[in-house]
Amino acid sequence: NIPRTSKVSLSSTNFNIGTSITINTNRASSSFTHTAVIKFNGSTVRTQKSIGASYKWDTSELYDYIPKANKATGTVTLTTYSGSTEIGSSSVSFTANVTNSNPTFSNCTYEDVGSISTQLTGNNQVLINGCNSLKTTISTANKAVAKNGATMSKYRLVCGSKSVEASYSSSADVSLTLDNVTSMTFIVYAIDSRGNSTAVTKSVETWKDYSDIKIKTD
């Protein structure tokens, strides 16, 4: 009998991280054992020894190797042994995808910090259309939390055609301000290191229209 190198295959070569994938050895002899080296995104994830016919692999460990992207490629290299004798190796490539990993983020507060507008209304929860300074604050209690190996990057405030960004902080409140907004609805995005985001949409509870005074002569 001529020993033959086992030909590795995967139950799927394009999968979402977190899926259980079977590494099949397709061995020519039931006496063969194998070592699988899994590499992903340029790093060695694990070396699994003493595999017989197959190995069930929990791919959740891949999240930590892809903190700045939603997709990357890897390989499984299988080395075949007959007893202690190495027969040969075979490899298979795979693509793994990040899904369902947007940050956890659900709340922020707002106020008008415009010196003129707050004098006119006497209430920082009231905004005057086009004459205001909208400030949103994400407190440490409401801070966004990244998921599955990502880290938080920044916040973005969008109101109408205007937007502004601020760096994320886990230990301090973060505020963003836009002057003279003309829409009573605004959106705050929490954005992680992969570029994934979660949005919180809010509407100003009290919105006042404003028009310039026009002086007319008879």
Side-chain angles (χ1 to χ4, degrees):
N1 295 325
I2 301 173
R4 298 186 186 90
T5 301
S6 301
K7 301 299 181 183
V8 63
S9 64
L10 304 178
S11 55
S12 176
T13 56
N14 192 328
F15 54 83
N16 295 333
I17 298 177
T19 302
S20 182
I21 296 296
T22 301
I23 301 173
N24 296 300
T25 64
N26 303 300
R27 57 186 177 176
S29 170
S30 60
S31 66
F32 289 173
T33 59
H34 311 83
T35 295
V37 177
I38 301 171
K39 293 186 177 182
F40 181 62
N41 201 28
S43 298
T44 299
V45 176
R46 76 163 49 228
T47 299
Q48 190 68 38
K49 298 182 178 180
S50 302
I51 299 174
S54 64
Y55 173 73
K56 200 166 187 177
W57 171 37
D58 180 2
T59 63
S60 297
E61 63 186 348
L62 297 181
Y63 281 123
D64 291 337
Y65 294 88
I66 184 173
K68 295 183 178 181
N70 285 306
K71 177 186 291 188
T73 58
T75 58
V76 176
T77 299
L78 190 77
T79 301
T80 306
Y81 294 89
S82 178
S84 59
T85 302
E86 180 179 327
I87 298 175
S89 299
S90 64
S91 296
V92 61
S93 299
F94 65 86
T95 299
N97 310 283
V98 174
T99 59
N100 302 319
S101 296
N102 291 354
T104 300
F105 178 53
S106 61
N107 197 22
C108 61
T109 60
Y110 75 87
E111 61 181 320
D112 184 5
V113 293
S115 58
I116 296 176
S117 53
T118 52
Q119 287 181 54
L120 290 172
T121 63
N123 186 342
N124 66 8
Q125 295 299 294
V126 177
L127 267 71
I128 302 172
N129 186 0
C131 179
N132 55 63
S133 187
L134 173 66
K135 176 183 177 182
T136 62
T137 299
I138 303 96
S139 67
T140 53
N142 291 324
K143 66 184 178 184
V145 178
K147 295 171 64 176
N148 294 330
T151 56
M152 289 308 304
S153 174
K154 59 187 175 182
Y155 295 104
R156 179 184 298 134
L157 168 63
V158 178
C159 188
S161 60
K162 296 183 176 183
S163 66
V164 65
E165 293 183 347
S167 298
Y168 174 82
S169 174
S170 62
S171 59
D173 295 351
V174 177
S175 296
L176 305 95
T177 303
L178 287 174
D179 292 329
N180 302 323
V181 299
T182 57
S183 173
M184 64 184 298
T185 300
F186 62 90
I187 306 172
V188 178
Y189 295 90
I191 304 168
D192 70 11
S193 56
R194 294 187 178 112
N196 296 330
S197 65
T198 298
V200 169
T201 301
K202 284 188 172 275
S203 294
V204 176
E205 292 186 8
T206 304
W207 181 258
K208 300 290 187 181
D209 286 323
Y210 174 84
S211 57
D212 292 331
I213 296 173
K214 296 180 180 179
I215 300 176
K216 297 181 178 181
T217 58
D218 294 334

